[in-house]
Amino acid sequence: MKIFDALEQERNWGEDERLLLDQVDRLAAEVIAPNAARIDESGAFPWENVEALNRLGLNAIFVPEAYGGAPMSFRLYLAVVRRIAEACASTGIIYATNFHAMKPLIEFGSEEQKARLLPRIAEGGLAALAITEESAGSDATGMKTRFQPDGDDIVIDGAKIFITNGDVADRILLFGKHTGIDDPRRAISVLVVEKGTPGLEVLGLEKKMGHRGSSTAVLRFDGCRVPAANLIGQPGDGLSILLASLNRSRPSIAAHAIGIATAAFKDMTTYMNERKQSGRRIIDFQANQFMLADVATDLAMVELWLDHLAGRIDAGAQDFGIEASMAKMRASDIANRIVTEAVQMHGGYGYCSDFRVERLMRDAKITQIWEGTNQVHRQLIGRSFATK
């Protein structure tokens, strides 16, 4: 792991950043990782882990100070996601979803909205991002959830699926179509639904291959009435807000995937140094060394690309959508390759739940699907080179 230790040292964290990361490392080792297997087996929401994260005030690092936060760099936030996801992928995505859902409010919300809605998140509230519907996955313009103005309120009717944190969220950033706008792209709008709003119903939770401790909800909005003051921007601003928010959440998903990949790589190399076949450690076989060389190089390259992307975002860059797609696509692909190789190197043991790599393999798969399937990202990246 020397090469990865060197990469970490070269990040040159400031004193406050290093202090926070040390605290996250201790929390991951002492609380989050020890709970991970039990959470996966039971499928119970990891409240103990979430409460531990809140004791460190980790939501505050992406909330402006004016609304109760203690903001730090995007690069630092990504490092926190990686560490949590390495210890427990379910807890990692629960935490990251708070950022995914609230960053659009932070960037595009009014001062009144942020002052009213963000303090709960800064103090440790949970958030959810509600986009996907049965007929609207990769193509968000197909969504049918409807926003109907009614005096000082907006009445919501519709349903959403695959909503991380949907059943436990204090704030839901909800995308739907504003009535009175015929163009399906221009009609997309976005508002915040607060926990306990009448008409909001959790229809059920998905039973998933991995991330079993992270709840994935089916939500229904039946005459759900929210204040018109909860609409972010103007009617029809939703698509531009959605695309801007995805450009920031995709690097976050890349960091999450790298966390899973790192856990698998560590488990694999440890086992390969210990396990012997035909009188030799399995790490001493040339074919296995070639495999390690390939996956270690790819993992190092994707870490460096994510560092580069985070640096651009922290410097104020506005146009980084293709770079974000590259990060998400490559990080999730290499995570899936590494977990597959890790299971293979463990042999029959890798197929048993006594070893963490079995869980990591199940957890890794979704990273190629959510926040845009990797097929969509390849299309976005490829067509960016087409001349007009």
Side-chain angles (χ1 to χ4, degrees), residues 165-308:
N165 294 352
D167 61 320
V168 293
D170 297 283
R171 306 282 185 263
I172 299 174
L173 190 78
L174 175 68
F175 286 82
K177 288 183 177 175
H178 203 281
T179 59
I181 303 176
D182 294 331
D183 186 317
R185 294 174 64 88
R186 290 189 56 251
I188 296 175
S189 305
V190 57
L191 51 73
V192 176
V193 179
E194 299 172 67
K195 187 175 185 178
T197 300
L200 166 60
E201 183 181 359
V202 178
L203 294 184
L205 300 178
E206 302 292 350
K207 296 180 180 179
K208 309 189 299 293
M209 176 191 296
H211 287 81
R212 291 176 176 173
S214 164
S215 57
T216 304
V218 179
L219 303 179
R220 181 169 65 188
F221 303 87
D222 185 6
C224 185
R225 186 176 291 269
V226 304
N230 282 19
L231 184 73
I232 298 177
Q234 299 298 317
D237 285 350
L239 186 58
S240 61
I241 293 173
L242 172 59
L243 294 176
S245 67
L246 289 175
N247 286 343
R248 291 187 184 273
S249 62
R250 284 164 177 166
S252 179
I253 290 297
H256 180 264
I258 290 172
I260 297 171
T262 300
F265 189 82
K266 288 179 178 179
D267 286 3
M268 176 171 62
T269 54
T270 297
Y271 187 82
M272 292 172 71
N273 275 281
E274 296 172 350
R275 176 70 170 173
K276 289 185 177 181
Q277 285 288 345
S278 303
R280 301 166 63 190
R281 299 180 305 170
I282 60 176
I283 200 169
D284 293 325
F285 289 86
Q286 187 181 67
N288 294 342
Q289 292 172 350
F290 282 9
M291 178 275 293
L292 284 176
D294 287 341
V295 298
T297 300
D298 286 346
L299 182 57
M301 293 301 102
V302 78
E303 284 199 25
L304 287 169
W305 183 253
L306 193 60
D307 285 345
H308 161 74

Side-chain angles (χ1 to χ4, degrees), residues 45-234:
F45 191 83
W47 286 111
E48 181 182 351
N49 290 355
V50 171
E51 290 164 2
L53 298 180
N54 289 338
R55 286 195 293 272
L56 290 185
L58 292 183
N59 277 5
I61 69 174
F62 57 78
V63 175
E65 188 173 357
Y67 315 110
M72 303 184 83
S73 68
F74 185 62
R75 187 176 70 120
L76 187 282
Y77 159 76
L78 294 179
V80 171
V81 172
R82 284 170 53 193
R83 284 160 164 80
I84 299 172
E86 180 182 342
C88 174
S90 292
T91 305
I93 201 59
I94 291 166
Y95 171 69
T97 299
N98 294 335
F99 172 86
H100 301 167
M102 290 295 98
K103 189 60 176 176
L105 172 61
I106 293 168
E107 288 196 351
F108 301 103
S110 68
E111 292 303 315
E112 184 278 332
Q113 288 171 332
K114 289 184 280 191
R116 179 164 51 87
L117 299 170
L118 282 175
R120 174 69 189 112
I121 299 300
E123 67 187 22
L126 294 170
L129 178 64
I131 304 170
T132 305
E133 300 180 9
E134 287 188 1
S135 60
S138 297
D139 179 14
T141 61
M143 67 177 64
K144 296 179 180 179
T145 296
R146 186 180 66 175
F147 297 167
Q148 173 70 55
D150 184 18
D152 292 333
D153 295 333
I154 293 175
V155 179
I156 308 165
D157 288 287
K160 297 290 182 179
I161 61 173
F162 303 145
I163 308 305
T164 302
N165 294 352
D167 61 320
V168 293
D170 297 283
R171 306 282 185 263
I172 299 174
L173 190 78
L174 175 68
F175 286 82
K177 288 183 177 175
H178 203 281
T179 59
I181 303 176
D182 294 331
D183 186 317
R185 294 174 64 88
R186 290 189 56 251
I188 296 175
S189 305
V190 57
L191 51 73
V192 176
V193 179
E194 299 172 67
K195 187 175 185 178
T197 300
L200 166 60
E201 183 181 359
V202 178
L203 294 184
L205 300 178
E206 302 292 350
K207 296 180 180 179
K208 309 189 299 293
M209 176 191 296
H211 287 81
R212 291 176 176 173
S214 164
S215 57
T216 304
V218 179
L219 303 179
R220 181 169 65 188
F221 303 87
D222 185 6
C224 185
R225 186 176 291 269
V226 304
N230 282 19
L231 184 73
I232 298 177
Q234 299 298 317

Side-chain angles (χ1 to χ4, degrees), residues 7 11 44 51 105 116 122 340 381:
L7 287 177
R11 291 186 173 106
E51 290 164 2
L105 172 61
R116 179 164 51 87
T340 300
I381 296 164

